[in-house]
Amino acid sequence: MTAGTGITVITGASSGIGAALAEELARKGHRLALLGRNAERLEAVAERCRAAGVPCTTHSVDIRNRTALQDVLAGIESAAPIGLFIANAGILDGRRDGETVESYEAAERVLDTNLISTISALHLVLPGMRARREGRLLLISSLAAFAPLPDAPAYSAAKAGLLSYGLALREALREEGISVCVACPGYVTSAMSARHLGHRPGEIAAEDAARRILSALDGDRALSGFPFSLYWGSRLSLLVPAFIRRLGMKGLRFRVGG
């Protein structure tokens, strides 16, 4: 993957997959703009990226604040064209200890962050890409898009929505020189996954996940999912009878910690 002349923007870059993607892209020579809510953690990631010899700016912003996000992205675009936009920002919430189902407040927060605000961010960078007739979009979804988690319905819905939106966007933009890749990782070690109190089969390091995701992006693949067994198990899960799916999901029940 070549760095090109534009800027690579990553949302949710202060930890987990976002941070790992930033460091991997820095090693490949990408000029970076990192977005996240935690300014201190974001700056620590940026320092590691700068150590690789690339320019890297940080922007502390909540993507749910569209006005603030618009200002940040406009400032980045004024410095250089945004060539790659990675929509990675997301939160995990769901059923808490003592609950049968997640609260409405948790569901609203997850859907706003993981889907609505992410789509809003995409439409803030798309005009520049469309005018130049070039650019790449990378959307970080989840295997929960294929196999809805009963303990996190809103998270599953948001990731399914992001998957469908990304694949549809890829076809809509294919004649305009803009590529779209949707990544659906399984369990990845991160601060967010630490709130997942339950079994996490096939969990991999964020660095490993980043390399797999960027390989799919480099190959201009529409969709990337891993690990292999969970990916195909998830994709096939909606085709089997409900009682079989229920048995398969039984070992994946969890609750969300504070």
Side-chain angles (χ1 to χ4, degrees):
M1 180 187 302
T2 58
T5 57
I7 293 179
T8 293
V9 177
I10 307 174
T11 67
S14 62
S15 63
I17 291 176
L21 285 168
E23 293 181 52
E24 184 67 21
L25 288 167
R27 285 190 284 271
K28 297 176 182 294
H30 282 244
R31 183 178 180 181
L32 298 169
L34 308 183
L35 279 60
R37 290 178 298 171
N38 189 305
E40 185 177 350
R41 290 207 313 257
L42 203 60
E43 186 58 31
V45 176
E47 283 299 313
R48 295 195 293 272
C49 293
R50 293 176 190 131
V54 298
C56 182
T57 60
T58 61
H59 309 269
S60 181
V61 63
D62 188 331
I63 68 165
R64 293 178 297 174
N65 186 335
R66 194 176 197 275
T67 300
L69 181 63
Q70 186 171 20
D71 289 343
V72 166
L73 292 174
I76 294 169
E77 180 82 23
S78 69
I82 297 173
L84 169 60
F85 183 79
I86 302 179
N88 171 73
I91 59 173
L92 171 67
D93 211 335
R95 182 180 68 89
R96 304 296 184 96
D97 194 23
E99 294 180 338
T100 301
V101 68
E102 65 190 5
S103 68
Y104 170 75
E105 291 75 19
E108 183 181 43
R109 186 167 57 250
V110 169
L111 286 165
D112 189 5
T113 303
N114 294 11
L115 182 60
I116 301 302
S117 295
T118 297
I119 291 174
S120 175
L122 293 172
H123 280 272
L124 289 173
V125 301
L126 267 175
M129 290 184 175
R130 296 186 71 191
R132 293 185 296 273
R133 299 189 64 84
E134 64 176 359
R136 292 184 295 173
L137 301 172
L138 172 59
L139 283 57
I140 309 301
S141 181
S142 165
L143 291 186
F146 301 112
L149 303 170
D151 298 307
Y155 180 83
S156 304
K159 293 302 186 180
L162 194 60
L163 169 64
S164 293
Y165 197 87
L167 294 180
L169 202 61
R170 178 181 173 92
E171 290 306 306
L173 297 171
R174 63 190 303 268
E175 301 297 332
E176 297 190 27
I178 300 168
S179 66
V180 182
C181 175
V182 183
C184 293
Y187 297 101
V188 176
T189 303
S190 68
M192 186 175 80
S193 70
R195 301 182 65 230
H196 178 289
L197 305 180
H199 186 43
R200 303 198 292 265
E203 185 172 7
I204 65 172
E207 295 76 14
D208 187 7
R211 286 189 290 270
R212 297 186 192 205
I213 291 168
L214 293 178
S215 175
L217 179 67
D218 195 33
D220 193 26
R221 290 164 53 189
L223 178 61
S224 166
F226 54 87
F228 182 85
S229 58
L230 278 182
Y231 172 61
W232 282 105
S234 298
R235 291 202 65 170
L236 295 172
S237 65
L238 293 179
L239 301 179
V240 302
F243 77 93
I244 296 178
R245 182 167 65 252
R246 193 175 299 118
L247 285 174
M249 295 296 290
K250 188 175 181 180
L252 300 180
R253 297 303 300 267
F254 70 99
R255 68 184 193 280
V256 175

